[in-house]
Each structure stands twice: as C-alpha cells, then as structure tokens.
Amino acid sequence: MIRQYMTAMALAAVASAGAVEPWSLDSCVNYAISHNITVQSRMLEAEGGRLSVTEAKDRFLPTVSGYGSQSFSFGRGLTAENTYANRNTSSFSAGAQLSLPIFQGLAGVRRLDYAKASLRALLEQTEAAKDDVTLNVTSQYLQALYTAEMMAVARERLAISTSELARRQQLLEAGKIPELDIYEARSQVSQDELNLVNCANDSIIALLDLAQMLNLPSAEGFAVQPLPDSQMPLLSPDEVWANASERNHALRAGEMQAEAADKNVALAKTGYIPTLSFSAGIGSNYYKTSGFQNEGFGSQMRHNFAKQIGFSLSVPIFDAFGTRNSVRRARVQAHTTRLQLDDSRQRLYKAIIQAYTQAVGAEKKRDAAAVAVESSRAAFEAMKVKFDNGRANATEYEKTRSDYTTALAQAVQAKYEAILRTRILLFYNK
C-alpha cells in the first residue's frame, strides 16, 4: 500500500507538470539567455567597454575651467617702504583657463585603439556566455526528456508484471501453480512499483533542474515538448573544426583579448614619447588696502584684465624606470593571453573530436539497441506463449521479461546520447 501511494503521488506530480503548455527547446534557450545572470553581467561589462571607448575619444577634447578666489589679511604686514604696519587687505581674482593637448605622445590614439579592442573582446565574451547557456540548457532539456521516457519504460514494466500477477492469481485459484509463484509475482510488482517511483522522481528533479537553470520564478506546471525523432546528420570533425575556429565566440573573444593586449603594450610605450600641450587663459583681480585710496571694484577689474597663452613641452628623461616596468608588465600579460588562446583552441579541438567519437559510438549503440529491442520483444512474446502453456518455468519467463525491459531502457539511453552528441557537433559548427 505504501509503494502504491508513493507511485500515485509521483505520477500525480508528473501529470500536474503538464497542466500548462509545454516549453519547446528554443523557448527554453531564449528565456534562459534573457534571464541568465552571467549573460547579464557580460552585457553590463560590454556597456562599460562602450563607456571606455567614449572616454578615450573625449580625451582629445580641450578642457575649460573657471576660477575665483577671495582672501583677507589682518594685522601687521610689510609695506612698500620695507617697514611694517598694521593694515587690513582684501583681494579678489577671477578668470578662465583652457588646456588643449596637441600631441600626447600617441597615448590618446593608442588608448582609443586599446579601448576598441577591449570592447570587441567583451562583446564576444557576451556571445560566448550565451553559447554556454545554450549548450547547458540543451543538455538539461534532453535529460528531462530522457527521464520522462525512462518513466514510460518503467510504467510498461509495471504493466507487464501486474498483468502477470493477475494471470498467476487465476492459475493459483485453479490449482495449476504453487503459491510460491504468487509471492514471486507480487515481489516483482513491488520492485517495479518502486522503480516507477524512482523514475518519476528523476523526471521531476530533471524538470526542476531545468526550471532553475532558466531562473523561472516557479517550477509549478513546468513541462517540455518532445523533440522530433529524426536522426540529424553527423558532421565530420574537420568540417566542424574549420567552422568553429573561425566563428566560435569563445575563440574570437580570446583573439580579441590577445589583440587588446598587444595594443596595451603599444600604449605603455608612449611613456617614452614627449608631449606638447597648448594653454590659454583670461583673468582679472581686485585689491584693497585699509588706509589707502583704492580704485573701485569695476575699475580695477577692467584695468587688471589680462590674457595669456602658452605651450608646454614635456620630455621624459628618467621616470625611475616606471615606463620600462609598465611595458614589461604589458608584454607579460600579452604573452599570458596568447597562451590562454592556444589552450582554448586545443580544448575546443579536443571537445569536437570527443563529441564526434561519442556521436559515432552513440549512433552504433542506437542501431544495436533497436535490433536488441525487436529481438528481445520477439523472445519475450514467444516465452510468454510457452510459459502460458506450461512449457517454460518462471525463471525463464522472468529472464526474457527482464531482457526485454532492459533493452527498452538501453534504447532510450542510446537515443538521447546520440541526440546530445550530434547536437553538440551542430552547436560547434554553427
């Protein structure tokens, strides 16, 4: 009774998942991409990269600032006669200044190039994050379908054992079999009920994991659509690698990072180059001393109005090896980035070869499993006839039944393994 209750509860939970329209694989992938935290973080980083490009462009613009000051002085002070006297003074000044970089030692140009390269890397990293989400969701989606089909296999296994228990009950009542056969049949039904409960729980957990991967607010009523059972073409690893090496976003992000690292080396070298800037300013001041006749504020501001322009040249001679160390550090980072790019290429190539090898093996396993299902089904049906006519014992019957249901489970496993490996190849080939 406990197992029957558990079975009913598990199946009811699975059935309730189908209360709303099931999700397709594309809808799951799209929803996951738009709600994934990692993807959103990468998008924010890309937005920061755009701001860095804008900031690098703005550094070519002049800077303009205004100033004003007011000061007061009380007590003894030095006079024009080189004596000290008690006097109170106040002064006011105001003006504006402009500074325009004429030549920044190519720092502005190289800083802009570095910002643009970094932005391209960030955009590729965003797309790579979307690819990771797509691959993970596809794998979990197939896991949900696999557990659902395994539950169907467990349900068929339970139906066979339940039917056999009813048949043996009739034979026992007719006095044609010993009571021990009934106990064996009931034991088998109990085992199959427990297996169905486990499969139902696995299906629920697989759907829950997928819902959590999508960041759904609730997994209640969540269900997925089955995929078409058509076999997809198996691409060659050389073809997949040729396309992936050009279009894979993770590799392209690594290439952009390597390019940005090279530009950072060039930017660091600008510390060796002189810089030239232009400056201009206007201003005036007002001064008042107690005990003296002073012009009015307006008159002084007009009379003291001044303008100035100038050029400033800075030639680096010795900066305590600061520029040299910056260049060396940038070169180390560039070398590290290229090593990481080479590692990414090797890992992607190995993943493609592995996916192809596994896909070939899965297709062979799928074909063999289909043959095994047909053979075991025929053997089971023949054994059932022999067992019904008393020409086979219970052990022989249970073995053929177990072989048949095991072949069904292996066929389901081979099917989804082949689908997953083939889709991984298609994913890398896009």
Side-chain angles (χ1 to χ4, degrees):
M1 291 297 294
I2 295 178
R3 287 197 180 95
Q4 291 176 351
Y5 175 75
M6 292 173 61
T7 303
M9 291 295 293
L11 294 179
V14 175
S16 64
V20 296
E21 183 178 355
W23 288 53
S24 67
L25 177 57
D26 290 339
S27 61
C28 286
V29 169
N30 294 334
Y31 188 92
I33 289 176
S34 61
H35 293 79
N36 183 265
I37 295 177
T38 301
V39 173
Q40 293 176 358
S41 299
R42 289 284 185 260
M43 293 175 67
L44 290 176
E45 291 174 0
E47 187 62 29
R50 293 187 180 93
L51 293 177
S52 297
V53 172
T54 301
E55 181 182 10
K57 292 179 179 178
D58 292 342
R59 291 202 177 192
F60 292 102
L61 301 175
T63 59
V64 181
S65 61
Y67 67 90
S69 66
Q70 173 70 54
S71 64
F72 301 91
S73 177
F74 307 96
R76 294 176 64 81
L78 190 66
T79 66
E81 291 79 14
N82 200 28
T83 61
Y84 286 91
N86 289 325
R87 291 175 179 173
N88 298 331
T89 62
S90 65
S91 64
F92 171 80
S93 62
Q97 293 180 331
L98 176 144
S99 177
L100 175 65
I102 298 177
F103 180 70
Q104 300 174 309
L106 300 177
V109 175
R110 293 180 180 179
R111 185 179 294 108
L112 178 59
D113 291 341
Y114 172 71
K116 289 180 178 180
S118 298
L119 175 58
R120 289 193 293 269
L122 290 172
L123 292 175
E124 291 295 339
Q125 288 177 349
T126 301
E127 295 302 317
K130 294 179 181 179
D131 289 344
D132 291 340
V133 171
T134 300
L135 194 58
N136 293 333
V137 169
T138 300
S139 178
Q140 188 58 41
Y141 189 95
L142 293 175
Q143 179 66 21
L145 293 180
Y146 166 72
T147 55
E149 287 206 24
M150 288 300 294
M151 187 175 63
V153 172
R155 189 181 290 112
E156 181 174 353
R157 180 180 297 176
L158 177 60
I160 294 174
S161 60
T162 302
S163 175
E164 179 59 22
L165 175 61
R167 192 186 70 85
R168 292 190 187 186
Q169 187 67 40
Q170 294 175 354
L171 293 176
L172 178 64
E173 293 173 357
K176 295 183 178 181
I177 61 173
E179 191 173 2
L180 178 61
D181 289 354
I182 288 295
Y183 293 146
E184 292 178 350
R186 287 175 180 172
S187 175
Q188 188 62 53
V189 169
S190 299
Q191 293 177 14
D192 291 341
E193 286 178 347
L194 179 59
N195 183 59
L196 178 57
V197 169
N198 291 333
C199 289
N201 288 335
D202 290 342
S203 180
I204 294 172
I205 292 173
L207 286 173
L208 178 61
D209 290 342
L210 179 58
Q212 291 177 343
M213 190 175 292
L214 302 183
N215 284 331
L216 291 177
S218 172
E220 184 178 357
F222 180 69
V224 295
Q225 298 177 3
L227 294 174
D229 198 16
S230 57
Q231 290 183 297
M232 293 174 290
L234 185 60
L235 304 175
S236 68
D238 293 337
E239 178 184 0
V240 175
W241 169 247
N243 293 327
S245 59
E246 295 180 0
R247 297 182 292 206
N248 183 266
H249 292 295
L251 283 187
R252 287 182 58 82
E255 292 171 354
M256 295 300 102
Q257 287 176 324
E259 179 183 346
D262 291 339
K263 293 185 180 299
N264 190 38
V265 173
L267 176 60
K269 291 181 179 179
T270 58
Y272 294 120
I273 305 176
T275 60
L276 177 66
S277 62
F278 167 78
S279 63
I282 56 174
S284 185
N285 62 79
Y286 167 77
Y287 188 83
K288 180 179 180 181
T289 304
S290 62
F292 288 86
Q293 185 68 29
N294 298 279
E295 284 187 300
F297 177 82
S299 298
Q300 284 198 41
M301 294 298 289
R302 288 193 302 271
H303 295 161
N304 296 337
F305 181 77
K307 296 172 284 186
Q308 59 89 17
I309 61 173
F311 294 88
S312 176
L313 175 66
S314 176
V315 180
I317 298 176
F318 180 71
D319 62 353
F321 301 112
T323 300
R324 185 198 67 175
N325 293 335
S326 297
V327 172
R328 289 179 176 179
R329 189 178 298 107
R331 284 174 175 167
V332 170
Q333 181 61 37
H335 185 63
T336 302
T337 304
R338 295 203 173 275
L339 287 178
Q340 293 173 346
L341 176 59
D342 292 339
D343 181 64
S344 297
R345 285 198 180 101
Q346 292 178 8
R347 285 189 286 109
L348 178 60
Y349 181 75
K350 291 178 182 178
I352 291 174
I353 296 298
Q354 183 178 16
Y356 175 78
T357 303
Q358 292 173 336
V360 172
E363 288 292 345
K364 293 179 179 178
K365 187 186 299 184
R366 183 176 185 175
D367 295 338
V371 175
V373 168
E374 293 302 322
S375 300
S376 59
R377 178 186 290 114
F380 174 63
E381 291 174 353
M383 180 58 68
K384 190 174 185 300
V385 172
K386 292 177 63 177
F387 185 70
D388 291 343
N389 294 326
R391 290 187 290 112
N393 56 41
T395 302
E396 294 173 330
Y397 174 83
E398 289 300 333
K399 183 180 184 307
T400 55
R401 187 192 75 90
S402 177
D403 291 343
Y404 170 57
T405 54
T406 300
L408 288 176
Q410 291 176 345
V412 172
Q413 181 180 7
K415 169 187 173 181
Y416 282 102
E417 184 178 357
I419 292 175
L420 176 62
R421 303 307 174 189
T422 306
R423 282 185 174 270
I424 289 176
L425 284 175
L426 291 175
F427 170 81
Y428 287 135
N429 188 65
K430 70 176 184 178

